Amino acid sequence: MQSIVRLSPSINNDSSNNSRFVFILFCIVIIFQITALKYIWSLENVSRIVNLFALITLVPYAFIAVGTEYHPKKIWYYYLAPGIFIFCGMFLNISLGVISNSKLISIYGLTLPWVIYLIIPGIIKKKEIDTQILWKFYYYFMLCSNIFGILDYILMYYGVSNLRVLNTPFGVFLGGSFSLLYMLEDGAAHYRYYSCFMEPGTLAMFLLPAISYAFFHKKYFGLLVFLIAFFLTDSLGGIISLLILIIIILFLVLNQYKKYLLFGMSSLFVITLILWFNYGGILLDRYDNKNNSATVRENNLTNTIANLPLLLINNPLGIKLVESTESFEKNKAYIGSNFSPVNYLQYGGILSFVGYVICLVVSLSVSLMSILRNNLLLEQKVVFSSIIVLFPFIFQRTTVWESALFAFLFAPTIIKAIHLAK
């Protein structure tokens, strides 16, 4: 790939602002898609209606915008084409499934993040999006949700809060006012902190960009809250990514002072080795103690490598879609759901798989090459550092790439990097 990292000195044009359409859509994504607030506040039916309306409205809008607006070839090759591949592959396979089973219609919701992904270049051209404001809103949402979530967490464990049993498609939880906890077989609450997300690891993943934002914008109270919440998730994958983020942040800080960079990075390397020799065994033990979850994730990856040729040949449009994980597991072609690229192969066939891999490679390549620069803006530092530390999550769970937050918070910076590439 050609170098695609020559960036302009400004991310947002001064005349850009978030249109009401963009802001409402951003709020819908947070409340009804990436969080569990719809279950905590009993908004499941509202969520279905809102998401269905958004999908019906945005699909024609996206294809009209993509088909009628001019975009440079680089944007087509590195951004729009992969998004179209992902959407078309998934839409086709889901439609084939809906023909035989109308209950599968809800799976169309998985395409919504990619529809939003496709409309972002047009919104940028119309100057209707200001990512600085969206990042600030994301920061304050994460801050408030975790302040209330931690308070909820404390009240739950001291028996002050009245817990409700929440039956969700992802299991049975105990719900408070702003957060939930997993319910054990004896009816007790599990110790790991969820806030308003469906898994502690998912919360840890979404905390990482907020931690990066808080550090670079010197919001130290928020940083403290995020680190407390991060610790309470007890996420091994999150801890590893946080260590990587610390290394990247130190590099970006030292990179501003070239004469200290070599000394700083050498010292960091030595400190890392010392910490590994002293605490690496603890991390390995934690990984071994994961037992089933670690084994499942390893098997997802190895099975993908072993079965990829047959899956491509026998299921070029994707595997037959069903309503539940239990039904999927009866299909010999089903590999698993922890390795995110294979999810797109299963749901959208070769077309979606190729598009998703290109999307991952482009965003990661832009980020890795960009952090070598010493004149990045704060938003660029947040975006590129976050993408790098979020990448390992593709081996564990649904990632930020599968949420519309990627389109709103990360894609505009990547698009401008591609657009201004040599």
Side-chain angles (χ1 to χ4, degrees), residues 340-358:
S340 61
V342 82
N343 283 343
Y344 285 89
L345 183 58
Q346 293 174 146
Y347 276 86
I350 298 173
L351 204 58
S352 289
F353 176 73
V354 170
Y356 185 73
V357 170
I358 293 174

Side-chain angles (χ1 to χ4, degrees), residues 3 5 7 248 251-252 254-256 258 261 265 364-376 380-381 384-385 388:
S3 173
V5 296
L7 306 176
I248 294 172
F251 175 81
L252 290 172
L254 292 170
N255 198 31
Q256 300 176 60
K258 293 293 186 181
L261 179 59
M265 295 310 296
L364 184 62
S365 299
V366 168
S367 301
L368 287 171
M369 290 185 285
S370 295
I371 63 170
L372 299 177
R373 297 171 53 87
N374 62 358
N375 60 342
L376 296 179
Q380 293 168 337
K381 292 177 181 179
F384 297 137
S385 64
I388 294 169

Side-chain angles (χ1 to χ4, degrees), residues 73-345:
K73 290 182 179 179
K74 288 179 291 189
I75 301 301
W76 271 103
Y77 294 155
Y78 297 125
Y79 186 88
L80 287 174
I84 293 172
F85 289 168
I86 295 169
F87 173 81
C88 290
M90 293 181 70
F91 189 86
L92 175 60
N93 195 36
I94 294 171
S95 297
L96 293 174
V98 170
I99 290 173
S100 58
N101 183 2
S102 60
K103 293 181 179 179
L104 298 176
I105 195 169
S106 61
I107 302 180
Y108 278 122
L110 296 176
T111 65
L112 184 56
W114 298 104
V115 176
I116 296 174
Y117 172 96
L118 291 173
I119 69 176
I120 292 298
I123 292 175
I124 292 174
K125 288 185 67 175
K126 295 176 182 178
K127 299 179 180 178
E128 293 181 345
I129 184 170
D130 186 334
T131 49
Q132 291 181 12
I133 294 176
L134 294 183
W135 269 106
K136 184 181 293 186
F137 185 87
Y138 178 73
Y139 165 79
Y140 281 111
F141 168 77
M142 293 298 291
L143 179 61
C144 293
S145 63
N146 280 285
I147 289 174
F148 290 124
I150 291 171
L151 179 61
D152 231 0
Y153 180 84
I154 295 171
L155 294 177
M156 285 181 186
Y157 272 102
Y158 280 95
V160 179
S161 176
N162 292 321
L163 301 180
R164 297 166 291 113
V165 177
L166 303 177
N167 290 292
T168 77
F170 306 96
V172 182
F173 296 85
L174 294 173
S177 300
F178 301 97
S179 63
L180 49 75
L181 291 170
Y182 186 73
M183 188 174 78
L184 300 173
E185 292 182 0
D186 62 359
H190 195 270
Y191 76 93
R192 295 180 70 184
Y193 173 64
Y194 282 67
S195 183
C196 58
F197 291 84
M198 294 307 306
E199 292 185 20
T202 302
L203 170 59
M205 179 180 70
F206 283 111
L207 278 169
L208 288 166
I211 289 171
S212 179
Y213 181 94
F215 176 83
F216 286 115
H217 287 81
K218 299 181 180 179
K219 296 182 179 294
Y220 299 120
F221 173 75
L223 182 60
L224 177 62
V225 172
F226 296 148
L227 291 175
I228 293 172
F230 200 94
F231 172 77
L232 293 174
T233 66
D234 194 26
S235 170
L236 177 60
I239 290 172
I240 294 171
S241 288
L242 180 61
L243 294 175
I244 297 172
L245 178 60
I246 292 171
I247 293 172
I248 294 172
I249 286 174
L250 288 173
F251 175 81
L252 290 172
V253 171
L254 292 170
N255 198 31
Q256 300 176 60
Y257 310 98
K258 293 293 186 181
K259 60 181 179 180
Y260 300 120
L261 179 59
L262 180 60
F263 172 76
M265 295 310 296
S266 300
S267 301
L268 181 61
F269 179 73
V270 173
I271 293 171
T272 302
L273 287 178
I274 294 172
L275 290 174
W276 175 255
F277 284 126
N278 282 277
Y279 300 104
I282 297 175
L283 291 177
L284 292 175
D285 288 341
R286 285 282 309 281
Y287 181 79
D288 290 337
N289 290 334
K290 288 287 185 177
N291 293 327
N292 289 338
S293 61
T295 301
V296 168
R297 287 166 182 170
E298 291 172 359
N299 289 341
N300 275 188
L301 182 58
T302 56
N303 288 341
T304 298
I305 296 171
N307 298 324
L308 185 60
L310 285 177
L311 193 58
L312 291 172
I313 294 171
N314 297 332
N315 301 276
L317 299 180
I319 65 174
K320 182 179 179 180
L321 301 179
V322 289
E323 297 176 52
S324 65
T325 302
E326 291 77 11
S327 300
F328 267 124
E329 290 173 347
K330 296 177 183 178
N331 187 339
K332 293 181 179 179
Y334 180 70
I335 295 176
S337 60
N338 291 105
F339 185 41
S340 61
V342 82
N343 283 343
Y344 285 89
L345 183 58

